[in-house]
Amino acid sequence: MREHREDNQASQISDLGNDVSKEKEKRMKVQERDEQRQQTVGEPVVDGDIALSADDVNVHYGDNHALRHITMNFRRNEIVALIGPSGCGKSTFLRCLNRMNDTIEVARVTGEILLEGQDVYSKEMDPVLLRARVGMVFQKPNPFPKSIYENVAYGPRIHGLARNKAELDDIVYASLEKAGLINEVKDRMEDSGTSLSGGQQQRLCIARTIAVNPEVILMDEPCSALDPIATAKIEDLMYELQENFTIAIVTHSMQQAARVSQRTAYFHLGDLVEVDDTNKIFTNPGHRLTEDYVTGRFG
């Protein structure tokens, strides 16, 4: 019996030693990865009238370090495309900018993100009001199961942007006009938003976003579920919206990034590899990983 107890104790000590060794090895790998972290090339930080900036942003999903040391900024009235292979962190970064990652229990965000100089992760920043100032258009159109009118009126109503029905009507019609949809729906405002075609639904969601007068619009692959004609309408709309808003768009289409954006950021395995003028990214990239991706060697 004594020998059996001693064997158990020895086994427990051995297991504990193995656990400590594995944990130490894991910490060393993380430290080594951080020391060798990707230094972003190009111009991730630019001068000018800055609407939004990120400084040393990291995102963890539990033990997974999904986004590492991201620093870049966005000029006012600029379209910035975020590109990279699936799982590289571009959508994760986009979701940081209006705290959508708050809805994921295991997500932890560190670093600093400033909107007009205000820390979006400060205790004083109301996430609901933040998401009105930094709107989001998702990959799949998601109109509310309400009328076309109510889809657009919902945001201004809950944020108290209209004092009466006439003012609310003005906001709804102006937003639909800015979204390039008014001529297609002006005679069917009481129809359900879900009765529209896919491209129309996405423009309705854009109208819903701009109805609360945001400063920044985030677009997460807004055309991936649309046909080429609907995609062209969304891209034309982005040019018009740029006059009033800063836009960050995640896209898997390098052709789309080249068409619509002034700057492009390339992400790879959680690192921000390169940020520069879009023309330079696609004709003379400064990093081999960027060149390999935009020339189709991988991705």
Side-chain angles (χ1 to χ4, degrees), residues 50-55 57 72-74 96-97 111-122 125 130 133-134 215-216:
I50 304 302
L52 188 66
S53 64
D55 183 26
V57 172
M72 68 176 293
N73 60 9
F74 302 81
C96 290
L97 300 177
E112 184 179 65
I113 297 174
L114 300 180
L115 173 65
E116 303 289 346
Q118 295 177 278
D119 183 357
V120 306
Y121 282 88
S122 70
M125 180 66 75
L130 170 66
R133 297 175 65 190
V134 184
E215 294 148 64
V216 179

Side-chain angles (χ1 to χ4, degrees), residues 161-228:
L161 301 182
R163 291 171 296 182
N164 52 52
K165 179 68 163 56
E167 288 188 1
L168 189 59
D169 287 347
D170 288 343
I171 293 172
V172 169
Y173 280 83
S175 300
L176 288 167
E177 185 172 7
K178 289 177 183 176
L181 192 58
I182 187 63
N183 289 333
E184 298 167 48
V185 302
K186 60 185 178 182
D187 297 324
R188 47 186 299 203
M189 298 290 278
E190 295 307 313
D191 289 1
S192 173
T194 58
S195 69
L196 299 174
S197 69
Q200 289 173 327
Q201 286 186 24
Q202 194 65 297
R203 281 182 284 149
L204 178 62
C205 292
I206 292 172
R208 187 177 68 195
T209 298
I210 63 181
V212 293
N213 197 27
E215 294 148 64
V216 179
I217 300 175
L218 311 177
M219 296 185 169
D220 192 359
E221 298 187 61
C223 302
S224 63
L226 306 182
D227 61 61

Side-chain angles (χ1 to χ4, degrees), residues 66-67 81-97 220-221 249-253 265-271 293:
L67 209 59
L82 311 181
I83 65 171
S86 296
C88 67
K90 55 190 184 295
S91 290
T92 294
F93 178 61
L94 198 75
R95 292 170 63 90
C96 290
L97 300 177
D220 192 359
E221 298 187 61
I249 176 173
V250 166
T251 178
H252 274 292
S253 169
Y266 172 63
F267 287 77
H268 182 78
L269 298 178
D271 292 316
Y293 183 73

Side-chain angles (χ1 to χ4, degrees), residues 2-226:
R2 179 179 178 182
E3 291 178 358
H4 182 65
R5 284 197 299 272
E6 290 176 349
D7 287 344
N8 284 340
Q9 290 173 350
S11 176
Q12 291 172 357
I13 292 172
S14 177
D15 290 342
L16 182 61
N18 288 336
D19 290 343
V20 171
S21 178
K22 288 178 181 177
E23 185 62 31
K24 183 177 179 181
E25 182 180 356
K26 183 178 177 181
R27 285 200 303 269
M28 289 177 65
K29 285 182 178 179
V30 170
Q31 182 178 355
E32 181 181 358
R33 180 67 180 84
D34 284 346
E35 289 173 352
Q36 297 177 353
R37 73 181 188 235
Q38 176 69 50
Q39 297 299 314
T40 304
V41 301
E43 291 188 286
V45 178
V46 291
D47 296 327
D49 190 2
I50 304 302
L52 188 66
S53 64
D55 183 26
D56 196 30
V57 172
N58 290 264
V59 179
H60 291 80
Y61 293 123
D63 293 331
N64 177 30
H65 196 172
L67 209 59
R68 290 179 285 268
H69 310 288
I70 307 301
T71 296
M72 68 176 293
N73 60 9
F74 302 81
R75 293 189 186 102
R76 195 182 310 280
N77 306 117
E78 176 182 54
I79 301 176
V80 179
L82 311 181
I83 65 171
S86 296
C88 67
K90 55 190 184 295
S91 290
T92 294
F93 178 61
L94 198 75
R95 292 170 63 90
C96 290
L97 300 177
N98 70 346
R99 292 180 57 172
M100 288 295 291
N101 284 320
D102 286 9
T103 63
I104 302 173
E105 187 175 343
V106 296
R108 178 167 56 89
V109 180
T110 61
E112 184 179 65
I113 297 174
L114 300 180
L115 173 65
E116 303 289 346
Q118 295 177 278
D119 183 357
V120 306
Y121 282 88
S122 70
K123 292 181 179 178
E124 291 74 28
M125 180 66 75
D126 183 339
V128 175
L129 295 179
L130 170 66
R131 290 170 195 145
R133 297 175 65 190
V134 184
M136 175 79 85
V137 177
F138 295 94
Q139 179 176 358
K140 184 179 178 181
N142 59 343
F144 300 145
K146 297 175 179 288
S147 70
I148 293 168
Y149 181 95
E150 285 299 325
N151 262 272
V152 184
Y154 180 79
R157 185 180 287 120
I158 65 170
H159 288 289
L161 301 182
R163 291 171 296 182
N164 52 52
K165 179 68 163 56
E167 288 188 1
L168 189 59
D169 287 347
D170 288 343
I171 293 172
V172 169
Y173 280 83
S175 300
L176 288 167
E177 185 172 7
K178 289 177 183 176
L181 192 58
I182 187 63
N183 289 333
E184 298 167 48
V185 302
K186 60 185 178 182
D187 297 324
R188 47 186 299 203
M189 298 290 278
E190 295 307 313
D191 289 1
S192 173
T194 58
S195 69
L196 299 174
S197 69
Q200 289 173 327
Q201 286 186 24
Q202 194 65 297
R203 281 182 284 149
L204 178 62
C205 292
I206 292 172
R208 187 177 68 195
T209 298
I210 63 181
V212 293
N213 197 27
E215 294 148 64
V216 179
I217 300 175
L218 311 177
M219 296 185 169
D220 192 359
E221 298 187 61
C223 302
S224 63
L226 306 182

